């Protein structure tokens, strides 16, 4: 005798879809363990219901056909274990999470998954200055312009500033060191993000060390590069910024400037009106993924993690 399929039941016949979706929605802001304890459910049951909820969110979102993509890598475990995350920057949602590492071969898997027809619609790819991503994109989507993510560029500049901070700490002795010790966060943060005490510490630090003061001012000035609407004016600004490094003895900044020279086309691409995209989305997504990983500490189920990532920016149902 054929058993009737009831549409209101979840895949697990002991629960309705409405209940499954409620549990899934709750798991968006709580751990599986907490939800299991609250509703007196088995850990595996809660996870199963959440997976049904996430699968339905993906189904309702539809198949992606992106015009502008953001590419980034995400560390899923210690030991340099990476997966690639690709987002649709216009729809503001991650669309692919996979690969075995951050190699060109892993990046190629995304374009194979998307298919040649949809890949041809990609007009812009935003990424960090990682050669395998660029090489794969130029080969698989040659029509797409490459734009280097502002936040990754600034991260390199912050890294250079921190090297200068460390070299100053190593160079100084005695009382002069006290202004630098423990001030990494203060020095690398945006001034507006600092507390009153943080701003006071920054002012004291910059007044006490001329070299760090110069490096800090140069770091803050560099951010103006993305304000220009014309590549010619952006280039003039960068040339002046680079010229100001002369005689400053800031080797990490000199290396940074050479890196910008090598990647200029991918940075200057932001000046074109059609390339004005929300670059902060990828950074915001990374923060979301870090929260997911903290809540799922010790997670080994990669398919579950993939669903969590792909649905984290989708509307609740």
């Amino acid at each position: 005798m054929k058993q009737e399929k009831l549409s209101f039941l979840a895949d697990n016949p002991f629960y309705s879809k409405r209940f499954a979706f409620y549990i899934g929605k709750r798991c968006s802001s709580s751990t599986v363990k907490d939800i299991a304890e609250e509703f007196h459910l088995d850990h595996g049951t809660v996870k199963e219901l959440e997976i049904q909820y996430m699968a339905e969110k993906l189904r309702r979102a539809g198949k992606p056909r992106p015009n502008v993509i953001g590419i980034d890598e995400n560390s899923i475990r210690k030991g340099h274990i990476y997966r690639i995350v690709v987002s649709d920057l216009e729809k503001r949602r991650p669309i692919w999470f996979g690969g075995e590492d951050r190699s060109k071969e892993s990046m190629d898997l995304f374009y194979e998954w998307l298919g040649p027809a949809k890949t041809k619609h990609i007009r812009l790819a935003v990424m960090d200055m990682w050669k395998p991503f660029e090489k794969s994109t130029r080969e698989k989507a040659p029509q797409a312009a490459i734009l280097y993510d502002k936040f990754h560029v600034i991260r390199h500049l912050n890294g250079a500033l921190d090297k200068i901070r460390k070299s100053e700490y190593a160079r100084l002795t005695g009382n002069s060191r006290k202004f630098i010790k423990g001030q990494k966060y203060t020095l690398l943060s945006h001034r507006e993000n600092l507390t009153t005490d943080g701003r006071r510490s920054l002012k004291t630090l910059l007044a006490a060390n001329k070299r760090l003061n110069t490096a800090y001012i140069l770091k803050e000035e560099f951010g103006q590069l993305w304000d220009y609407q014309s590549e010619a004016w952006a280039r003039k600004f960068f040339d002046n910024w680079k010229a100001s490094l002369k005689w400053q003895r800031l080797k990490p900044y000199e290396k940074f400037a050479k890196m910008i020279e090598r990647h200029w086309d991918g940075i200057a691409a932001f000046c074109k009106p059609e390339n004005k995209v929300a670059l902060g989305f990828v950074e915001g997504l990374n923060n979301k993924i870090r929260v997911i990983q903290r809540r799922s500490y010790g997670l080994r189920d990669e398919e579950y993690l993939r669903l969590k990532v792909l649905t984290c920016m989708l509307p609740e149902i």
Side-chain angles (χ1 to χ4, degrees):
M1 184 173 136
K2 191 175 179 182
Q3 189 174 13
E4 183 182 0
K5 179 75 175 175
L6 301 176
S7 61
F8 62 85
L9 287 179
D11 291 348
N12 185 323
F14 293 104
Y15 305 100
S16 67
K17 282 185 178 177
R18 186 176 178 184
F19 182 71
F21 289 177
Y22 177 73
I23 292 295
K25 188 175 181 178
R26 287 293 307 277
C27 287
S28 301
S29 55
S30 300
T31 66
V32 169
K33 181 183 176 184
D34 287 345
I35 298 299
E37 288 177 357
E38 181 181 345
F39 289 90
H40 306 288
L41 294 170
D42 178 72
H43 183 281
T45 299
V46 173
K47 186 176 170 184
E48 180 188 334
L49 295 175
E50 186 191 6
I51 287 172
Q52 290 177 43
Y53 174 72
M54 293 189 291
E56 179 62 16
K57 282 176 80 173
L58 274 181
R59 188 192 69 78
R60 294 189 187 190
K63 294 181 180 179
R65 189 182 175 181
N67 297 311
V68 180
I69 60 171
I71 305 168
D72 202 5
E73 74 270 1
N74 188 263
S75 174
I76 63 167
R77 282 192 296 278
K78 289 181 180 178
H80 303 288
I81 309 298
Y82 292 99
R83 295 295 178 265
I84 299 171
V85 185
V86 182
S87 302
D88 182 332
L89 294 186
E90 291 181 323
K91 297 287 180 64
R92 299 178 69 83
R93 56 170 282 210
I95 57 174
W96 191 78
F97 178 90
E100 295 296 322
D101 46 30
R102 51 181 186 156
S103 64
K104 176 186 177 297
E105 290 72 24
S106 284
M107 189 68 235
D108 288 346
L109 292 175
F110 162 72
Y111 294 110
E112 290 168 18
W113 169 82
L114 191 63
K118 289 183 179 178
T119 295
K120 285 178 183 176
H121 288 277
I122 299 173
R123 65 171 183 81
L124 180 67
V126 181
M127 62 186 72
D128 62 10
M129 290 175 283
W130 182 245
K131 284 293 181 187
F133 292 170
E134 182 176 346
K135 192 174 180 182
S136 174
T137 301
R138 293 201 185 281
E139 182 183 299
K140 302 292 184 180
Q143 79 287 347
I146 302 291
L147 173 63
Y148 295 123
D149 188 347
K150 169 186 175 180
F151 292 94
H152 282 98
V153 176
I154 294 297
R155 202 169 291 158
H156 283 287
L157 180 56
N158 279 339
L161 176 56
D162 195 44
K163 285 180 182 176
I164 294 168
R165 179 189 68 85
K166 288 176 180 176
S167 70
E168 282 300 280
Y169 185 78
R171 184 180 67 83
L172 297 170
T173 55
N175 220 27
S176 303
R177 278 185 161 189
K178 72 177 182 180
F179 299 108
I180 299 174
K181 189 174 182 180
Q183 295 302 318
K184 177 180 176 178
Y185 175 81
T186 303
L187 195 62
L188 301 186
S189 296
H190 287 297
R191 194 186 294 264
E192 58 268 23
N193 293 337
L194 293 173
T195 62
T196 303
D197 286 343
R199 290 178 187 178
R200 193 178 297 119
S201 296
L202 177 64
K203 187 177 180 180
T204 304
L205 169 63
L206 298 182
N209 191 290
K210 184 180 178 182
R211 195 155 171 253
L212 277 178
N213 184 59
T214 301
Y216 181 82
I217 291 170
L218 285 166
K219 189 261 290 190
E220 291 291 291
E221 286 178 349
F222 190 82
Q224 297 172 33
L225 180 65
W226 284 272
D227 294 337
Y228 290 96
Q229 308 296 315
S230 155
E231 183 178 343
W233 281 103
R235 182 71 214 195
K236 186 174 182 181
F237 167 82
F238 173 64
D239 286 341
N240 287 337
W241 187 88
K242 186 174 63 172
S244 68
L245 298 179
K246 199 173 183 181
W247 317 117
Q248 298 294 349
R249 298 179 297 111
L250 300 172
K251 288 289 182 188
Y253 273 19
E254 290 170 19
K255 283 186 178 181
F256 171 77
K258 287 176 182 176
M259 182 186 71
I260 298 300
E261 284 279 12
R262 292 194 303 272
H263 297 88
W264 176 254
D265 288 345
I267 294 169
F270 190 67
C271 295
K272 295 178 180 177
E274 66 269 24
N275 294 343
K276 298 293 184 184
V277 293
L279 295 180
F281 173 80
V282 173
E283 198 67 16
L285 175 60
N286 282 337
N287 291 334
K288 282 251 186 187
I289 293 174
R290 280 192 280 271
V291 171
I292 289 169
Q293 290 175 315
R294 279 200 300 272
R295 285 196 187 128
S296 310
Y297 182 75
L299 182 68
R300 285 291 182 268
D301 185 342
E302 201 164 314
E303 174 59 17
Y304 177 67
L305 176 61
R306 186 185 76 86
L307 284 171
K308 292 284 278 186
V309 170
L310 294 182
T311 59
C312 70
M313 294 294 197
L314 294 177
E316 302 293 357
I317 56 176

